[in-house]
Coordinates of all heavy atoms in Angstrom, one line a residue:
R56 N 0.9 -1.2 0.0 CA 0.0 0.0 0.0 C 0.9 1.2 0.0 O 1.4 1.7 1.0 CB -0.9 0.0 1.2 CG -1.8 -1.2 1.3 CD -2.8 -1.1 2.4 NE -3.7 0.1 2.2 CZ -4.8 0.0 1.4 NH1 -5.1 -1.1 0.7 NH2 -5.5 1.1 1.2
C57 N 1.0 1.8 -1.2 CA 2.0 2.9 -1.4 C 1.3 4.2 -1.9 O 0.3 4.1 -2.7 CB 3.1 2.5 -2.3 SG 4.0 1.0 -1.8
F58 N 1.9 5.3 -1.7 CA 1.6 6.5 -2.4 C 2.1 6.4 -3.8 O 2.9 5.5 -4.1 CB 2.2 7.8 -1.7 CG 1.5 8.1 -0.4 CD1 2.2 7.8 0.8 CD2 0.3 8.7 -0.3 CE1 1.6 8.1 2.0 CE2 -0.3 9.0 0.9 CZ 0.4 8.7 2.1
R59 N 1.6 7.3 -4.6 CA 2.0 7.2 -6.1 C 3.5 7.5 -6.3 O 4.0 7.1 -7.3 CB 1.1 8.2 -6.9 CG -0.4 7.7 -6.9 CD -1.2 8.4 -8.0 NE -2.5 7.8 -8.0 CZ -2.9 6.7 -8.7 NH1 -1.9 6.1 -9.4 NH2 -4.1 6.3 -8.6
N60 N 4.1 8.1 -5.3 CA 5.6 8.3 -5.5 C 6.4 7.1 -4.9 O 7.6 7.1 -4.9 CB 6.0 9.6 -4.8 CG 5.7 9.5 -3.2 OD1 5.3 8.5 -2.7 ND2 6.0 10.6 -2.6
G61 N 5.7 6.0 -4.5 CA 6.3 4.8 -4.0 C 6.5 4.8 -2.5 O 6.9 3.7 -2.0
E62 N 6.3 5.9 -1.8 CA 6.4 5.9 -0.4 C 5.4 5.1 0.3 O 4.2 5.1 -0.1 CB 6.4 7.3 0.2 CG 7.6 8.2 -0.3 CD 7.6 9.6 0.3 OE1 6.7 9.8 1.1 OE2 8.5 10.4 0.0
G63 N 5.7 4.5 1.4 CA 4.7 3.7 2.2 C 3.7 4.5 3.0 O 4.0 5.7 3.2
T64 N 2.6 3.9 3.3 CA 1.6 4.6 4.0 C 1.5 4.3 5.5 O 0.6 4.9 6.2 CB 0.2 4.2 3.4 OG1 0.0 2.8 3.4 CG2 0.2 4.6 1.9
F65 N 2.3 3.4 6.0 CA 2.1 2.8 7.3 C 2.0 3.9 8.4 O 1.1 3.9 9.3 CB 3.2 1.8 7.6 CG 3.1 1.2 9.0 CD1 2.2 0.1 9.2 CD2 3.8 1.7 10.1 CE1 2.1 -0.4 10.5 CE2 3.7 1.1 11.4 CZ 2.8 0.1 11.5
E66 N 3.0 4.8 8.4 CA 3.1 5.8 9.5 C 1.9 6.7 9.5 O 1.3 7.1 10.5 CB 4.4 6.6 9.3 CG 5.7 5.8 9.5 CD 5.8 5.2 10.8 OE1 5.2 5.6 11.8 OE2 6.6 4.2 10.9
R67 N 1.4 7.0 8.3 CA 0.2 7.9 8.2 C -1.0 7.1 8.7 O -1.9 7.8 9.3 CB 0.0 8.3 6.7 CG -1.1 9.3 6.5 CD -0.7 10.6 7.1 NE -1.9 11.5 7.0 CZ -2.8 11.6 8.0 NH1 -2.7 10.8 9.0 NH2 -3.8 12.5 7.9
L68 N -1.1 5.8 8.5 CA -2.2 5.1 8.9 C -2.3 5.0 10.5 O -3.3 5.0 11.1 CB -2.2 3.7 8.4 CG -2.3 3.6 6.8 CD1 -2.3 2.1 6.4 CD2 -3.5 4.2 6.3
M69 N -1.1 4.9 11.1 CA -1.0 4.8 12.5 C -1.5 6.2 13.1 O -2.1 6.2 14.2 CB 0.4 4.5 13.0 CG 0.8 3.0 12.6 SD -0.3 1.7 13.3 CE -1.3 1.4 11.8
E70 N -1.1 7.3 12.5 CA -1.6 8.6 12.9 C -3.1 8.7 12.8 O -3.8 9.2 13.7 CB -0.9 9.7 12.0 CG 0.6 9.8 12.2 CD 1.2 10.8 11.2 OE1 0.4 11.4 10.4 OE2 2.4 10.9 11.2
T71 N -3.7 8.1 11.7 CA -5.1 8.2 11.6 C -5.8 7.3 12.6 O -6.8 7.7 13.2 CB -5.5 7.7 10.2 OG1 -5.0 8.6 9.2 CG2 -7.0 7.5 10.0
A72 N -5.3 6.1 12.9 CA -5.9 5.3 14.0 C -5.8 6.0 15.3 O -6.8 5.9 16.1 CB -5.1 4.0 14.1
A73 N -4.8 6.8 15.6 CA -4.7 7.5 16.8 C -5.8 8.6 16.9 O -6.4 8.9 17.9 CB -3.3 8.1 17.0
L74 N -6.0 9.3 15.8 CA -7.1 10.3 15.7 C -8.4 9.7 15.9 O -9.3 10.2 16.6 CB -7.0 11.0 14.3 CG -6.0 12.0 14.1 CD1 -6.0 12.5 12.7 CD2 -6.2 13.2 15.1
F75 N -8.6 8.5 15.3 CA -9.9 7.8 15.5 C -10.1 7.5 17.0 O -11.2 7.6 17.5 CB -10.0 6.5 14.7 CG -10.2 6.8 13.2 CD1 -10.0 5.8 12.3 CD2 -10.6 8.0 12.7 CE1 -10.2 6.0 10.9 CE2 -10.8 8.2 11.4 CZ -10.6 7.2 10.5
D76 N -9.1 7.0 17.7 CA -9.2 6.7 19.1 C -9.5 8.0 19.9 O -10.3 8.0 20.8 CB -7.9 6.0 19.6 CG -7.7 4.6 19.0 OD1 -8.7 4.0 18.7 OD2 -6.5 4.2 19.0
Q77 N -8.8 9.0 19.5 CA -8.9 10.3 20.3 C -10.4 10.8 20.2 O -10.9 11.3 21.2 CB -8.0 11.3 19.7 CG -8.1 12.7 20.4 CD -7.1 13.7 19.8 OE1 -6.2 13.4 19.0 NE2 -7.2 15.0 20.2
Y78 N -11.0 10.7 19.0 CA -12.3 11.3 18.8 C -13.4 10.2 18.8 O -14.5 10.4 18.4 CB -12.3 12.1 17.5 CG -11.5 13.4 17.7 CD1 -10.2 13.5 17.2 CD2 -12.1 14.4 18.4 CE1 -9.5 14.6 17.3 CE2 -11.3 15.6 18.5 CZ -10.0 15.7 18.0 OH -9.3 16.8 18.2
K79 N -13.1 9.0 19.3 CA -14.0 8.0 19.6 C -14.8 7.6 18.3 O -16.0 7.4 18.3 CB -15.0 8.4 20.7 CG -14.3 8.5 22.1 CD -15.3 8.9 23.1 CE -14.7 8.9 24.5 NZ -13.4 9.6 24.6
V80 N -14.1 7.5 17.2 CA -14.6 7.0 16.0 C -14.7 5.5 16.0 O -13.8 4.8 16.4 CB -13.7 7.4 14.8 CG1 -14.3 6.8 13.5 CG2 -13.6 8.9 14.7
E81 N -15.9 4.9 15.7 CA -16.0 3.5 15.6 C -15.4 3.0 14.3 O -15.9 3.3 13.2 CB -17.5 3.1 15.7 CG -17.8 1.6 15.8 CD -19.3 1.3 15.8 OE1 -20.1 2.2 15.8 OE2 -19.6 0.1 15.8
Y82 N -14.4 2.2 14.4 CA -13.7 1.7 13.2 C -13.2 0.3 13.3 O -13.1 -0.3 14.4 CB -12.5 2.6 12.9 CG -11.3 2.6 13.8 CD1 -10.2 1.9 13.4 CD2 -11.3 3.2 15.0 CE1 -9.1 1.8 14.3 CE2 -10.2 3.2 15.9 CZ -9.1 2.5 15.5 OH -8.0 2.4 16.3
N83 N -13.0 -0.3 12.2 CA -12.5 -1.7 12.1 C -11.3 -1.6 11.1 O -11.2 -0.7 10.3 CB -13.5 -2.7 11.7 CG -14.1 -2.4 10.3 OD1 -13.6 -2.7 9.3 ND2 -15.3 -1.7 10.3
I84 N -10.5 -2.7 11.2 CA -9.3 -2.8 10.3 C -9.7 -3.7 9.1 O -10.1 -4.9 9.4 CB -8.1 -3.3 11.0 CG1 -7.7 -2.3 12.2 CG2 -6.9 -3.5 10.1 CD1 -7.4 -0.9 11.7
L85 N -9.4 -3.3 7.9 CA -9.6 -4.2 6.8 C -8.2 -4.5 6.2 O -7.5 -3.6 5.8 CB -10.5 -3.5 5.7 CG -10.8 -4.4 4.5 CD1 -12.2 -4.1 4.0 CD2 -9.8 -4.3 3.4
T86 N -7.9 -5.8 6.1 CA -6.7 -6.2 5.5 C -6.9 -7.1 4.3 O -7.7 -8.1 4.4 CB -5.9 -7.0 6.6 OG1 -5.6 -6.2 7.7 CG2 -4.6 -7.6 6.0
V87 N -6.2 -6.8 3.2 CA -6.3 -7.7 2.0 C -5.3 -8.8 2.2 O -4.1 -8.5 2.4 CB -6.0 -6.8 0.8 CG1 -6.0 -7.7 -0.5 CG2 -7.1 -5.7 0.6
V88 N -5.7 -10.0 2.0 CA -4.9 -11.2 2.2 C -4.1 -11.5 0.9 O -4.6 -12.0 0.0 CB -5.7 -12.4 2.7 CG1 -4.7 -13.6 3.0 CG2 -6.5 -12.1 3.9
T89 N -2.9 -11.1 0.9 CA -2.0 -11.3 -0.2 C -1.0 -12.4 0.2 O -1.0 -12.9 1.4 CB -1.1 -10.1 -0.5 OG1 -0.5 -9.6 0.7 CG2 -2.1 -9.0 -1.1
K90 N -0.1 -12.8 -0.7 CA 0.9 -13.8 -0.3 C 1.8 -13.3 0.8 O 2.1 -14.1 1.8 CB 1.8 -14.1 -1.5 CG 2.9 -15.1 -1.3 CD 3.8 -15.3 -2.5 CE 3.1 -16.0 -3.6 NZ 2.9 -17.4 -3.3
Q91 N 2.1 -12.0 0.8 CA 2.9 -11.4 1.8 C 2.2 -11.5 3.2 O 2.9 -11.7 4.2 CB 3.3 -10.0 1.5 CG 4.2 -9.9 0.3 CD 3.5 -10.0 -1.1 OE1 2.4 -10.3 -1.2 NE2 4.3 -9.7 -2.2
V92 N 0.9 -11.2 3.2 CA 0.2 -11.3 4.5 C 0.1 -12.7 5.0 O 0.3 -12.9 6.2 CB -1.2 -10.7 4.3 CG1 -2.1 -11.0 5.5 CG2 -1.1 -9.2 4.1
T93 N -0.1 -13.7 4.2 CA -0.1 -15.0 4.6 C 1.1 -15.5 5.3 O 1.1 -16.2 6.3 CB -0.4 -16.0 3.5 OG1 0.7 -16.1 2.6 CG2 -1.7 -15.6 2.7
K94 N 2.3 -15.0 4.8 CA 3.5 -15.4 5.4 C 3.8 -14.8 6.8 O 4.7 -15.2 7.5 CB 4.7 -15.1 4.4 CG 4.6 -15.6 3.0 CD 4.6 -17.1 3.0 CE 4.5 -17.6 1.5 NZ 4.4 -19.1 1.5
N95 N 3.1 -13.7 7.1 CA 3.4 -13.0 8.3 C 2.2 -12.8 9.2 O 2.2 -11.9 10.1 CB 3.9 -11.6 7.9 CG 5.2 -11.6 7.1 OD1 6.3 -11.7 7.7 ND2 5.1 -11.6 5.8
I96 N 1.1 -13.6 9.0 CA -0.1 -13.4 9.7 C 0.0 -13.5 11.3 O -0.6 -12.7 12.0 CB -1.3 -14.3 9.2 CG1 -2.6 -13.9 9.9 CG2 -0.9 -15.7 9.5 CD1 -3.0 -12.4 9.7
K97 N 0.9 -14.3 11.8 CA 1.0 -14.4 13.2 C 1.6 -13.1 13.8 O 1.0 -12.6 14.8 CB 2.0 -15.6 13.6 CG 1.4 -17.0 13.3 CD 2.4 -18.1 13.6 CE 1.8 -19.4 13.3 NZ 2.8 -20.5 13.7
E98 N 2.6 -12.6 13.2 CA 3.1 -11.3 13.6 C 2.1 -10.2 13.4 O 2.0 -9.3 14.3 CB 4.4 -11.0 12.9 CG 5.6 -11.9 13.1 CD 5.5 -13.2 12.4 OE1 4.6 -13.4 11.5 OE2 6.2 -14.2 12.7
I99 N 1.4 -10.2 12.3 CA 0.4 -9.2 12.1 C -0.7 -9.2 13.1 O -1.1 -8.2 13.6 CB -0.2 -9.4 10.6 CG1 0.8 -9.0 9.6 CG2 -1.5 -8.5 10.4 CD1 0.4 -9.4 8.2

């Protein structure tokens, strides 16, 4: 999951999750199961 310039989005997503927690937004996490996710699901 990258920006169009190739940079990753992870740090920005963690900032967003913190904002959701701060303002009591009801949210869930959606993860697309790719080969890479399957190999790392325990850690994830």
Side-chain angles (χ1 to χ4, degrees):
R56 303 189 60 81
C57 305
F58 289 104
R59 295 196 173 274
N60 63 4
E62 293 182 4
T64 58
F65 180 83
E66 298 299 339
R67 187 69 188 85
L68 298 181
M69 294 303 101
E70 293 172 3
T71 293
L74 283 173
F75 286 166
D76 290 336
Q77 180 181 349
Y78 290 101
K79 296 179 170 54
V80 178
E81 185 180 357
Y82 70 102
N83 60 81
I84 301 298
L85 184 146
T86 298
V87 177
V88 184
T89 56
K90 179 185 290 289
Q91 291 82 349
V92 168
T93 67
K94 304 298 184 186
N95 296 276
I96 187 54
K97 294 180 181 180
E98 294 79 12
I99 289 171

